[in-house]
Amino acid sequence: AQSVTQLGSHVSVSEGALVLLRCNYSSSVPPYLFWYVQYPNQGLQLLLKYTTGATLVKGINGFEAEFKKSETSFHLTKPSAHMSDAAEYFCAVSDQTGANSKLTFGKGITLSVRP
Amino acid sequence: EAQVTQNPRYLITVTGKKLTVTCSQNMNHEYMSWYRQDPGLGLRQIYYSMNVEVTDKGDVPEGYKVSRKEKRNFPLILESPSPNQTSLYFCASSFGVRSRELFFGEGSRLTVL
């Protein structure tokens, strides 16, 4: 069975500061990894994904994440936070086998950005 | 515009009154799925469908039904809603095994009194 751990429920940073949202996963098979963002009253939007190949993945809005197999991690970073980054962020894992394209989600982290 | 459309977006109902949440996608996706989102629990899969007439249970299927008679539509049916089904529901679709990336609808907030 797969699982995702996102420690903490809330992160607060100042505008212009580094954003670091942590994600650790558990999977018995090579994983696909995703970060989604959810703005208030909206659905989930894909930020970035790792499938195979390069372990440093760049996404939209200046976000990037690095897949570290030895640490079973897929942390999300952004060098400089913007007010518009305030949202809830979900890390998710899917296995590369099986017919069910289910994503197993973490509990989510709310990012606040202070002026 | 490529999208997943859910209706209604908001609904307040009473215990036992059957309701259906519709979901439609215009991307010709084979795979569709329903999730519910609850505070502190993230998103959990209710049901999924790999293609027309092929559906299966996810992690939390109790109290729900689905059908997939057409490729673009995947309605979620609550035959006898209960208060513990008060939640935010998301429909999602993808190309299936070729791509695990899910495209989400905007969500349907359901309150059962």
Side-chain angles (χ1 to χ4, degrees):
Chain A
Q2 299 173 310
S3 66
V4 173
T5 301
Q6 294 182 253
L7 289 178
S9 60
H10 185 241
V11 170
S12 181
V13 301
S14 298
E15 191 172 20
L18 171 71
V19 175
L20 170 60
L21 303 181
R22 298 179 186 274
C23 173
N24 289 89
Y25 70 91
S26 172
S27 177
S28 58
V29 298
Y32 288 167
L33 294 159
F34 305 81
W35 275 99
Y36 282 85
V37 60
Q38 184 180 29
Y39 298 104
N41 299 314
Q42 294 187 25
L44 280 75
Q45 177 184 359
L46 182 70
L47 271 179
L48 49 79
K49 64 180 178 182
Y50 168 80
T51 55
T52 58
T55 56
L56 182 62
V57 179
K58 295 186 185 299
I60 62 172
N61 301 337
F63 285 94
E64 63 181 38
E66 186 171 11
F67 169 58
K68 292 187 177 181
K69 184 178 179 181
S70 61
E71 298 177 8
T72 60
S73 69
F74 191 57
H75 302 329
L76 181 71
T77 60
K78 181 174 180 177
S80 177
H82 192 272
M83 297 296 290
S84 61
D85 294 327
E88 190 162 17
Y89 292 80
F90 292 92
C91 181
V93 63
S94 176
D95 66 45
Q96 296 185 18
T97 61
N100 184 5
S101 298
K102 182 178 82 171
L103 297 187
T104 298
F105 287 86
K107 295 181 179 180
I109 296 177
T110 299
L111 175 66
S112 299
V113 182
R114 304 185 301 272
Chain B
E1 180 187 355
Q3 59 186 0
V4 179
T5 304
Q6 300 178 223
N7 281 295
R9 294 287 313 279
Y10 301 91
L11 179 63
I12 300 174
T13 189
V14 296
T15 299
K17 186 176 182 181
K18 180 180 178 180
L19 68 91
T20 299
V21 185
T22 63
C23 173
S24 181
Q25 51 91 7
N26 63 0
M27 295 170 278
N28 201 34
H29 283 166
E30 295 172 350
Y31 179 92
M32 298 185 73
S33 183
W34 278 100
Y35 286 80
R36 61 178 287 174
Q37 182 182 15
D38 301 291
L41 297 178
L43 285 83
R44 295 176 291 168
Q45 189 184 53
I46 304 171
Y47 267 94
Y48 67 95
S49 169
M50 291 183 288
N51 216 324
V52 175
E53 301 292 2
V54 181
T55 63
D56 207 346
K57 296 176 181 179
D59 296 322
V60 288
E62 295 77 20
Y64 305 95
K65 288 175 59 177
V66 293
S67 67
R68 187 93 180 272
K69 293 183 170 54
E70 303 167 286
K71 194 172 186 178
R72 63 182 294 128
N73 296 323
F74 190 46
L76 179 69
I77 303 159
L78 286 73
E79 292 273 4
S80 182
S82 63
N84 65 12
Q85 293 179 297
T86 293
S87 187
L88 180 58
Y89 292 87
F90 287 101
C91 181
S93 68
S94 81
F95 286 109
V97 295
R98 288 180 285 156
S99 168
R100 305 284 173 163
E101 176 185 344
L102 286 176
F103 294 81
F104 284 84
E106 294 195 321
S108 297
R109 185 168 293 282
L110 171 65
T111 301
V112 183
L113 302 176

